[in-house]
Amino acid sequence: MGGAWVVMGVRGGVGGGVGGGGAAGDAAASAAGATSGGGAAAAAAAAATAAPHPADSSSAAAGGLTTAQLDATIWSLAIPALGSLLCEPVLSLVDTAFIGRLPSAAALGGLGIATLVTNSAYAMFGFLGVATTPLVARPPPRLGSASAAIATSLSLALFAGTALGIALYMGAVPLAVGMGATPGVTLPHTVGYLRGRAMAAPAVLGLLSIHGAYRGLRDTVTPLRITVTANVVNLVLDPVLIFGAGLGAAGAALATSASQVLALGLLLRRLVTDGLLRPADLPRVRPRWWGPLLRAGAALTVRTGAILATVAAAGATAAGGGAVASAAFEITRGLWVLSAMALDSLAHAAQALVAGAMPRTPAADDKGGGVPATPTDGPVTKASGEPLPAAPASATAAAPPAAPTALRRGRTPLTPPSGGSIALARRYATRALTLGLGAGVALGAAAFAAAPLLPRLFTLHLPTATAAASCVRVAALAMPINATVFVLDGVMAGVCDWSFLAAAVATAGGAALVALAAVRSAGVVVAASPTAAGVAWVFAALNVLMAARAAALLGRFFQRGGPLDDRPSARG
């Protein structure tokens, strides 16, 4: 969560919601068939009252879920999240494919420069999605409802997006020149694409916020459907604007921007019609309510910067070995990003489940950490924040332990209930970590076995393919470690442990920079022997980054008195 989208490169994705399986019994199943609009809201409220949330009974919830129930819940969140994560690279590839058909290579070169600028700019606001999830899962007292929490995050996203859009549009020329665009060659295409994408900056940041909100509500299916729809619109508009209107790279940018604005509009409409967002809450937002989001953003920006600095140093080290070493590094980095997206989907699920299961602690939200306290004793299930009546004690006692209340096929309860259990949150985290490790081992084994073949999908140059194969083997060995990092990143984001995440990455990045310095000093990456395994030492140094992060995260996870220590003595 957050880890995959910055490690080894910057992706400008809007992330994915996390949603899926529920255990509200027949009421949830019937509500799942409701259409969007008022029927969906009523069905969701019915499901929320039909069965108690597992967190309402801590001991039963922690011990009553079977492994099969846990697995089904986690995968029902992770698989749609993976689909949403994959949509953004597809969106970029569609633009590249169409621009590549223009007669001049300058357009494609300009697209590459502009994409780097926009993706880097949007990546710095990735905290909007990550920090919104726990805010919506457990609305703080001053907000009182998921609707107010969504409005708070969305207002910040639209404000920041407007400012970013103006900056990108007005600064397009100096940014393009600063990134190396050539006047009269790639510069016009770079500027055209930058300005076209800048027009949708509020929509891009708004999508980050809304996807984070849907994670808090544990619904991935809705964001996935709308994201796929937006990609189809982009696919249709690209040839019309690039070739038909003769706009070239600017046309590709406008097509992408139009699809993102459409996605934002559809998601906002869905939130309103399902009763998850009350439009009247938007003008009531006060800038001071942005505090927790901005504090999380500051910590996550430090984290992102540390990762990007380490990756940049690794790329520079590989480039010092010549064109072959640099190409081998880039091929392996691309493959690594694909595996990271698969593993990061489990982080989305972990964050959503842990954030929803944790008990609320007074004033934690105001300090930017912990899970915010509840203003009511009953489950908050309406946009207005009105609590539904608590279930009778006898009904609660008789109900079997179940997975989190969430409606199938994309329907969700309007907000999570007020109960909480550290034991339940820890069970979700532990099982997500187990599944992540299994996925990491499987991906690593597959990548290691296919190392001689995978680089040949990207290059016909034998020396480059040979060097890349060595890199792939080294990267594959660390995939179980990477899985640990991504899942526990999601877990710690679920408990709002922002300062720890920033400090852990900064420390791990320092260790990796020392390892990279040692690689450079040893001179193992040299242009004179491009087919040797020397460039693989660069990935060995990056593995130090991931290993150090894993050690810190595991230490935090098992720390006595830590955020997920469920022993009674730790809470006293």
Side-chain angles (χ1 to χ4, degrees), residues 35-523:
T35 58
S36 62
T49 56
H53 192 283
D56 293 337
S57 177
S58 298
S59 60
L65 293 176
T66 67
T67 300
Q69 285 177 310
L70 288 170
D71 290 355
T73 301
I74 292 168
W75 287 121
S76 70
L77 309 183
I79 292 174
L82 175 60
S84 292
L85 286 169
L86 291 173
C87 280
E88 174 67 20
V90 170
L91 199 67
S92 296
L93 286 174
V94 168
D95 284 353
T96 301
F98 280 114
I99 292 294
R101 295 182 177 274
L102 291 172
S104 171
L108 193 58
L111 173 67
I113 296 171
T115 299
L116 181 61
V117 173
T118 55
N119 284 1
S120 299
Y122 294 144
M124 299 308 294
F125 291 90
F127 72 87
L128 285 168
V130 179
T132 297
T133 298
L135 189 71
V136 172
R138 298 284 176 180
R142 67 176 175 278
L143 300 182
S145 71
S147 172
I150 294 170
T152 298
S153 175
L154 185 60
S155 65
L156 174 59
L158 295 178
F159 175 81
T162 300
L164 178 61
I166 293 172
L168 286 175
Y169 193 94
M170 300 299 292
V173 173
L175 282 170
V177 172
M179 291 296 295
T182 306
V185 184
T186 57
L187 182 61
H189 304 287
T190 303
V191 171
Y193 192 85
L194 274 176
R195 286 179 170 167
R197 290 294 304 273
M199 295 178 183
V204 173
L205 269 57
L207 287 171
L208 283 169
S209 169
I210 291 179
H211 278 267
Y214 269 108
R215 282 197 295 275
L217 298 166
R218 291 180 249 180
D219 175 9
T220 20
V221 180
T222 296
L224 174 60
R225 288 174 177 167
I226 291 177
T227 301
V228 169
T229 300
N231 274 21
V232 171
V233 170
N234 180 68
L235 181 64
V236 172
L237 288 179
D238 256 346
V240 173
L241 296 178
I242 294 171
F243 306 114
L247 297 177
L254 291 174
T256 299
S257 293
S259 68
Q260 290 168 330
V261 171
L262 174 65
L264 178 65
L266 292 175
L267 282 169
L268 283 173
R269 178 179 178 275
R270 183 63 177 270
L271 284 170
V272 172
T273 56
D274 281 357
L276 300 170
L277 174 63
R278 188 172 59 182
D281 283 336
L282 281 168
R284 295 175 181 170
V285 172
R286 299 294 179 266
R288 66 178 181 273
W289 296 357
W290 297 341
L293 291 169
L294 293 174
R295 282 189 287 272
L300 292 174
T301 298
V302 170
R303 171 177 168 274
T304 300
I307 294 174
L308 291 178
T310 306
V311 174
T317 301
V324 169
S326 183
F329 177 86
E330 181 61 22
I331 289 172
T332 308
R333 187 194 66 82
L335 291 170
W336 201 99
V337 167
L338 289 176
S339 69
M341 282 192 290
L343 298 172
D344 205 34
S345 63
L346 283 165
H348 282 270
Q351 188 197 18
L353 292 169
V354 168
M358 285 290 288
R360 310 181 195 196
T361 56
D365 174 69
D366 291 332
K367 297 178 182 178
V371 179
T374 175
T376 63
D377 293 328
V380 181
T381 59
K382 297 182 180 180
S384 62
E386 178 184 347
L388 293 176
S394 59
T396 302
T405 303
L407 307 184
R408 298 177 181 86
R409 297 193 293 275
R411 305 297 183 189
T412 66
L414 299 188
T415 64
S418 60
S421 164
I422 293 177
L424 177 62
R426 190 177 181 88
R427 281 209 69 194
Y428 283 134
T430 301
R431 192 58 193 166
L433 180 58
T434 302
L435 294 175
L437 281 171
V441 169
L443 283 174
F448 192 92
L453 303 176
L454 289 174
R456 296 178 184 271
L457 298 175
F458 302 93
T459 182
L460 297 176
H461 189 243
L462 183 59
T464 298
T466 302
S470 298
C471 293
V472 170
R473 290 190 186 95
V474 173
L477 292 174
M479 283 190 185
I481 298 175
N482 299 345
T484 300
V485 170
F486 295 146
V487 173
L488 289 182
D489 251 10
V491 170
M492 294 306 159
V495 298
C496 305
D497 206 356
W498 312 123
S499 297
F500 167 78
L501 287 173
V505 173
T507 303
L513 290 174
V514 170
L516 286 168
V519 169
R520 288 192 295 271
S521 298

